Amino acid sequence: MEKTLDTKVFDNLEKLQVVLSEKYQIQAKIEDVPKQLGAQEELLARLKKEYIEKNSKYEALKEKVDGLKTELEEAVRLREEGEKGMDNISTHREYEALEKQISEAGEKEGGLRKELDKEEKNLAELDEAIKADESWIKSQEKDLNEARASLDKETGSLKKELASLEKKEANIGANIDSEIKYKFERIIQRNNEGIVNVKNGVCGGCHMILPAQFANEVREENEILFCPYCSRILRWQESKDGEEETYYTIDTAGSLADLDDDDLLDDNDDDDDIIEGNDGAEKDDDLLDDEEEIEDSDEEESEE
């Protein structure tokens, strides 16, 4: 049967397949560009959050240190006043009062100095950590800005390639039926391969054996046909010289008409045997019934 489908249709589909495959790969790269910066942006955001928390903690600790310094100054003042007052006491009661003041102020001074030393040390360590974070944040911001600039440049290049491919797609697609093109694009998006060869009745995409009549229709190439299993467009591939090719026709596909009359007669003979056997069994039962009736009548006569 003469082919009615122009082979240029398949050629255009194969060209479109190459263009679409490259197009979708570039689109995927462009979509992935922001994801490449995700880890760096997340790290920078976490550093800034920790930096703010440390600053808050630093301010609170600094306020506490300033308070301890004020308390220490007051304790020192009370101790020194008591010590100076010792030179001017005139009674034992005044002595006891000043001695108590000096003792309590001295104890408080000692405790405050110890606590102040500890908190000042914590404050110094926190200050160093904050400075280190500031340096690290600046470094990360620099790296992130450089990465953004590099990716923006790469994205610009990819977009130029994409525009070129879309132009090619439009030129090739103008020679393809719009509905076929739409289906073909969806297939390429899923499988990266939208048109495959059929060889010996097997789909080259999913490797499933096609129904015989359908494979023959693919070979005839009267219309665009899609694989019933993977939805790819099918194109027949002739076997090379020396290779055995399987070609199905309606006559060789097999049907009920291919059964021999002798086979049907043999089957009927078997059925007849079964029927005869059943009839024979029924006849034997009738004979038994007749014999039983004769015996019963003989017994009745003898009793009389």
Side-chain angles (χ1 to χ4, degrees):
M1 184 175 184
E2 186 178 353
K3 298 179 181 179
T4 60
L5 188 65
D6 191 349
T7 56
K8 288 183 179 180
V9 174
F10 289 108
D11 294 338
N12 287 328
L13 286 171
E14 289 178 346
K15 291 177 182 178
L16 183 62
Q17 176 173 270
V18 175
V19 172
L20 289 176
S21 180
E22 292 181 10
K23 172 187 171 181
Y24 295 142
Q25 287 177 11
I26 290 176
Q27 286 178 337
K29 287 181 181 179
I30 293 175
E31 291 175 1
D32 286 339
V33 166
K35 298 178 184 178
Q36 296 179 34
L37 300 176
Q40 285 180 277
E41 290 175 339
E42 185 179 347
L43 174 61
L44 183 59
R46 187 171 66 251
L47 286 172
K48 288 183 175 180
K49 181 180 179 181
E50 292 175 356
Y51 175 79
I52 293 172
E53 291 174 352
K54 287 179 181 178
N55 267 289
S56 299
K57 187 176 180 181
Y58 178 86
E59 293 299 326
L61 188 55
K62 188 175 182 299
E63 185 177 351
K64 182 178 180 180
V65 168
D66 290 340
L68 290 172
K69 287 180 177 179
T70 300
E71 289 184 51
L72 179 59
E73 290 175 357
E74 181 65 18
V76 170
R77 185 183 66 78
L78 291 173
R79 179 181 58 77
E80 290 178 349
E81 285 180 355
E83 290 175 347
K84 290 178 181 179
M86 282 293 187
D87 297 334
N88 301 320
I89 60 174
S90 57
T91 64
H92 182 71
R93 181 177 292 179
E94 289 178 349
Y95 174 80
E96 288 180 346
L98 286 175
E99 186 180 41
K100 182 179 180 182
Q101 176 183 330
I102 293 169
S103 175
E104 289 177 352
E107 289 179 2
K108 186 175 183 179
E109 180 184 352
L112 287 170
R113 287 188 185 280
K114 185 177 181 180
E115 185 177 2
L116 182 60
D117 289 343
K118 177 184 175 182
E119 297 301 344
E120 284 182 333
K121 183 179 179 181
N122 291 338
L123 189 65
E125 291 177 352
L126 190 55
D127 184 56
E128 289 296 324
I130 289 173
K131 289 179 180 178
D133 283 354
E134 287 178 349
S135 177
W136 183 235
I137 287 172
K138 288 180 181 179
S139 175
Q140 287 299 307
E141 285 178 335
K142 181 181 177 182
D143 292 345
L144 185 58
N145 289 332
E146 290 176 353
R148 279 181 180 148
S150 176
L151 288 174
D152 286 343
K153 185 177 180 181
E154 181 183 351
T155 301
S157 177
L158 289 172
K159 286 182 178 179
K160 287 181 180 179
E161 291 183 42
L162 185 60
S164 176
L165 288 170
E166 287 176 343
K167 187 176 180 180
K168 291 181 181 178
E169 177 189 355
N171 292 334
I172 299 172
N175 301 316
I176 301 174
D177 179 77
S178 59
E179 185 177 352
I180 296 294
K181 182 176 179 292
Y182 174 75
K183 293 180 180 179
F184 192 63
E185 289 172 349
R186 293 174 64 85
I187 296 169
I188 296 293
Q189 285 178 329
R190 293 195 307 268
N191 303 308
N192 201 34
E193 187 180 27
I195 181 169
V196 295
N197 291 326
V198 174
K199 185 176 180 181
N200 291 334
V202 177
C203 172
C206 60
H207 308 295
M208 294 292 288
I209 299 175
L210 302 172
Q213 180 59 31
F214 183 77
N216 293 334
E217 292 175 0
V218 173
R219 180 169 185 167
E220 291 168 0
E221 293 184 356
N222 292 323
E223 59 180 323
I224 296 292
L225 296 174
F226 296 85
C227 176
Y229 306 110
C230 67
S231 300
R232 293 178 173 92
I233 291 178
L234 302 175
R235 185 177 191 181
W236 188 267
Q237 178 184 358
E238 297 294 343
S239 299
K240 296 180 181 179
D241 295 339
E243 289 185 346
E244 182 179 353
E245 179 176 311
T246 303
Y247 178 63
Y248 299 95
T249 63
I250 295 177
D251 295 334
T252 59
S255 66
L256 290 175
D258 294 331
L259 291 175
D260 295 335
D261 293 338
D262 293 340
D263 294 335
L264 293 174
L265 289 174
D266 291 340
D267 292 338
N268 290 333
D269 290 341
D270 293 338
D271 293 340
D272 292 338
D273 291 340
I274 295 173
I275 293 172
E276 288 178 359
N278 290 336
D279 291 344
E282 290 176 359
K283 290 178 180 179
D284 291 341
D285 291 339
D286 292 339
L287 290 173
L288 290 174
D289 291 340
D290 293 339
E291 290 177 356
E292 288 178 357
E293 288 178 0
I294 293 171
E295 290 178 356
D296 290 342
S297 59
D298 292 339
E299 289 178 357
E300 289 176 0
E301 290 177 359
S302 61
E303 286 179 358
E304 292 176 356

